Structures are given as C-alpha cells and as structure tokens.
Amino acid sequence: MQKKSLYQSILILIFIAYSCSKEPVSDFNISEQSTFALTGNKVYLPELIMPYKIERKDSFLIVIESSRLPENKPLIHIINKKDLSYHSGKGVMGIGPNEITDAHLFDPGFSDSTFWVNSTISKRMAEFSLYDSSKLSISEFKQPQNMYSAINMQLITDSSYLCVMAADPNKLVAFNRNGERLGGYGKWETLESRSIESDGSQINNYIISEVNSGWFKRSSFGNLYVNAGIHRDRLEIFDFETKRFITLDGPRMQLPDFDIVGSGVNTAVIIADNHAYGHRDIAFSEDFIYDLYGGYSEQDYLSEGILAKTIYVIEKRGTVRYKLDLDISIRCLTVDQDLGKIYGITTDEDPGIAVFDMPQELLDLLAE
C-alpha cells in the first residue's frame, strides 16, 4: 500500500514538473489549408494627405488623418464605400467649441446618421454627422477631472464609457457622463519575467499597462471590446454583457524587451528599437474579428515601407480560424464581409486605400 502511494506521489510530481516546464503554445497556429492569399488594388484619393486609420459606418468609409496634418485640412474624410468617391471632410483642428485636436479612436455610435471620435489630446469625444455640410462636430463630451487618466475611450451607451486607464489596477474601467466610476474589469497580471527590477522596485500597473498597450476598439455588432497589443502579442476580447475576458496569446509568446526610465509621474517605458510591432488593428463583422498583424519593426518600415501583410480571422469566442496573406502592406483595416471586401491604408510614400476581394471559398466558410 505504501509502495503504491509512493508511486502515485512520484507520478504527480513528474506531471507537475512537466507542466511547469512546457513552453506556452501560440493561439495563432494555422494550417496551410486555412490560409488564403489576397490580391489588393490601390485607389488614390487626392484629398487624403497623411491617412492613418480607416473605419466604416453603414455605406461609408471613414478615413482619419494623422494629427501631424496641416491645421487647415480636415482630420476626417467620409468616402462612399460603393465607388470610393469623396463625400465630405470633417474635423476642424483646434481646442475651441466643437473642434478637435486629433481623432485617435473611432466609435460607430448608436445613431444611423452619426459617428464619434475620441480626441485624446483635448480629452473629449466628438460626434459628427455623416450628412451635414459642417466640418465641426455636432456635439461633444469633455472628460471630467475624474476621467483625465483615461487614455482610450469607447461608448457603452450614449451616456457611459469604457476606458483604458493610464495607471489603474483594472484593465478596463466604466464611467458615466459625470465621471463617476461604475466598475472596473480585469486585474493586471504580473509580467512573468519582470515582476521585480534589479533595484528591488516593483513593476507597477502603469508599466504593465504600457507593455500591454495597443488598439482599443468596440464592435458595432454587440457588446464586444478588443484590446490588441502593439508591443506584446496578446489580444484581449471583453464581452461587456457577461463581463468576461478571452485572452489570445501569439504568434510570438515572449514579452518585448523594454527599459524603465525616470521615476514617479515621470516614469516611461522604452521598448527596444528592433522589436517588431505585433497586432496593428482590429475590425469586426457580425460573427468574426479581423486582426491585422505586423511582425515588422520600425526599422523595417523605414527601410522597406512594410508594416503589416497578415490578417487573422477569429471567432468571437476566441478561436483563430483563418490566416489571410496580403500582397500590399497596410497600416490599418476595416471589413465589409457582406460585400466580401477588406479595406486598408497603404504604407507606401503616396498612401491610398487598398481594396482586397475576399475569395468566395473563404466567404462560404465564414457563412457556415
């Protein structure tokens, strides 16, 4: 009896040791049978000067310019999706009433005729009409003092917001229009290899959130929010209705190399220059998440003009289904699965809109 018990104990110890020593497995391992090659066509529009993001709202594409744009140019362009003809320009750069300093994040809003942008420098959200002729926003929400540390913000309802904070124990925090905290969701996990620095100092929430920072987006098809890591290869899918996170790691499993400089409020996280960017953007269809993945560094971009040529198609419950290889490098994307088209902003010297037709075989698989 004692021998049997000893034997069982040894087996358990071996199993634990094996489990602890196993390398983590990427959630993005895709077979060749699930990979599709897409050929794009670039469309040039002279109104686009420094296009940085592309989104969609109903029958329109929304192109957002870099905040480095000349002040007399519109920050936002509305383009007819059907024929890519120019519809109108929006966004007066400034800090006055209904002006914006930047259009860092897009939110589709809850009205058929408007959309919102998050102007992070001026700490406000601005609502624009798709159809009027004014370049100014039609309404705006200025972040109360309690919300000033919110760096990325998306709508929950027309009077509440889900935010990524600069330094908070929670990954996401909800506020109402008065700046009252409604709840916090998800706790930051310790960075496995960097929990304590060489000087004995702890890695705090600000540093952890910076390493995990990325693109924060909301689906217009439900209560789904995604944070896509630009430095760390991690996607976090948050369902606001259930308050549950689904985490996908990969394709790379290691943390980026980084240094911490300064201290206190002057602390900064410096990512190594040669570190390749990870996830570049997110788009949604009714049933799928489209993840634009980079794998190229800033040095690659400066020398070759390449940022991202790979898209992963992911089910909302977190299963990576398909990999799409692009023949044109893009910096961002939006998708109209009903039309079978993917749109992106090209990364060449004279950027335009790349349009990719999705293969019918892929569309049939997505419709199953």
Side-chain angles (χ1 to χ4, degrees):
M1 190 65 150
Q2 288 180 340
K3 288 184 177 180
K4 183 177 180 182
S5 178
L6 179 61
Y7 177 71
Q8 290 175 334
S9 299
I10 292 171
L11 284 178
I12 291 170
L13 288 172
I14 291 172
F15 175 76
I16 291 172
Y18 173 74
S19 299
C20 292
S21 64
K22 277 185 69 177
E23 288 293 323
V25 178
S26 169
D27 293 304
F28 289 79
N29 292 328
I30 296 294
S31 68
E32 290 186 11
Q33 291 75 21
S34 298
T35 300
F36 295 85
L38 273 62
T39 301
N41 176 48
K42 178 185 171 183
V43 178
Y44 173 75
L45 280 77
E47 294 86 356
L48 307 185
I49 300 174
M50 302 176 71
Y52 184 70
K53 300 290 287 182
I54 189 167
E55 308 286 351
R56 76 179 183 95
K57 174 75 183 215
D58 297 333
S59 59
F60 297 103
L61 296 175
I62 313 294
V63 175
I64 296 171
E65 298 269 10
S66 166
S67 58
R68 295 182 287 114
L69 189 76
E71 291 186 4
N72 62 336
K73 301 294 184 180
L75 275 164
I76 303 166
H77 306 282
I78 303 176
I79 297 164
N80 291 297
K81 189 168 52 178
K82 184 177 181 179
D83 58 3
L84 297 187
S85 60
Y86 195 80
H87 178 70
S88 64
K90 299 283 180 179
V92 176
M93 192 177 295
I95 58 173
N98 299 107
E99 296 177 343
I100 55 174
T101 53
D102 61 291
H104 180 64
L105 287 181
F106 171 88
D107 190 290
F110 301 103
S111 166
D112 291 339
S113 60
T114 66
F115 63 92
W116 292 78
V117 296
N118 182 194
S119 183
T120 55
I121 298 174
S122 57
K123 297 292 184 181
R124 68 181 73 181
M125 288 193 76
E127 183 182 22
F128 289 91
S129 170
L130 286 166
Y131 301 105
D132 72 11
S133 58
S134 173
K135 288 183 170 59
L136 294 168
S137 67
I138 59 174
S139 68
E140 60 183 8
F141 165 70
K142 296 181 180 179
Q143 293 174 222
Q145 190 66 39
N146 289 352
M147 294 177 64
Y148 254 52
S149 60
I151 52 176
N152 290 328
M153 185 163 57
Q154 297 280 5
L155 293 170
I156 302 172
T157 67
D158 57 6
S159 60
S160 57
Y161 309 88
L162 191 63
C163 306
V164 176
M165 310 298 287
D168 194 275
N170 293 114
K171 297 177 180 179
L172 299 173
V173 179
F175 292 93
N176 63 18
R177 291 185 68 87
N178 298 321
E180 297 168 332
R181 187 176 177 124
L182 302 177
Y185 314 103
K187 295 286 188 180
W188 288 115
E189 302 94 357
T190 302
L191 300 175
E192 299 87 353
S193 59
R194 294 286 295 270
S195 58
I196 300 177
E197 288 297 274
S198 57
D199 62 0
S201 61
Q202 296 283 336
I203 299 291
N204 59 31
N205 291 321
Y206 166 73
I207 294 168
I208 297 172
S209 66
E210 280 292 292
V211 173
N212 285 280
S213 63
W215 314 102
F216 182 52
K217 305 192 79 169
R218 177 178 77 85
S219 171
S220 60
F221 298 98
N223 297 312
L224 212 63
Y225 299 79
V226 174
N227 189 72
I230 182 68
H231 304 301
R232 182 183 192 178
D233 281 8
R234 169 169 284 186
L235 284 184
E236 294 198 288
I237 305 167
F238 179 65
D239 187 325
F240 189 79
E241 185 173 347
T242 64
K243 307 298 188 292
R244 291 183 59 223
F245 284 89
I246 296 173
T247 301
L248 300 180
D249 286 321
R252 297 172 301 181
M253 301 303 292
Q254 68 274 21
L255 287 173
D257 292 329
F258 65 92
D259 293 317
I260 301 169
V261 298
S263 60
V265 295
N266 296 316
T267 300
V269 176
I270 308 298
I271 306 293
D273 288 341
N274 61 351
H275 180 73
Y277 294 119
H279 304 283
R280 297 294 317 186
D281 199 9
I282 291 292
F284 299 92
S285 68
E286 187 169 358
D287 298 311
F288 292 93
I289 299 166
Y290 289 77
D291 167 38
L292 178 65
Y293 183 78
Y296 296 94
S297 67
E298 185 70 17
Q299 296 168 352
D300 295 326
Y301 173 61
L302 293 175
S303 62
E304 302 175 39
I306 301 175
L307 277 181
K309 299 179 73 174
T310 301
I311 298 171
Y312 292 101
V313 185
I314 305 167
E315 293 177 346
K316 288 184 176 181
R317 64 175 181 264
T319 303
V320 182
R321 290 281 303 276
Y322 307 107
K323 179 173 177 276
L324 313 181
D325 292 329
L326 311 179
D327 69 333
I328 298 175
S329 171
I330 58 176
R331 67 170 61 250
C332 53
L333 84 165
T334 192
V335 176
D336 191 319
Q337 194 172 298
D338 292 335
L339 289 180
K341 293 187 182 296
I342 296 173
Y343 307 88
I345 298 297
T346 65
T347 61
D348 51 4
E349 292 183 0
D350 197 11
I353 299 175
V355 183
F356 300 90
D357 290 316
M358 300 168 70
Q360 189 60 50
E361 180 186 356
L362 173 61
L363 292 171
D364 291 342
L365 289 168
L366 296 174
E368 290 180 353

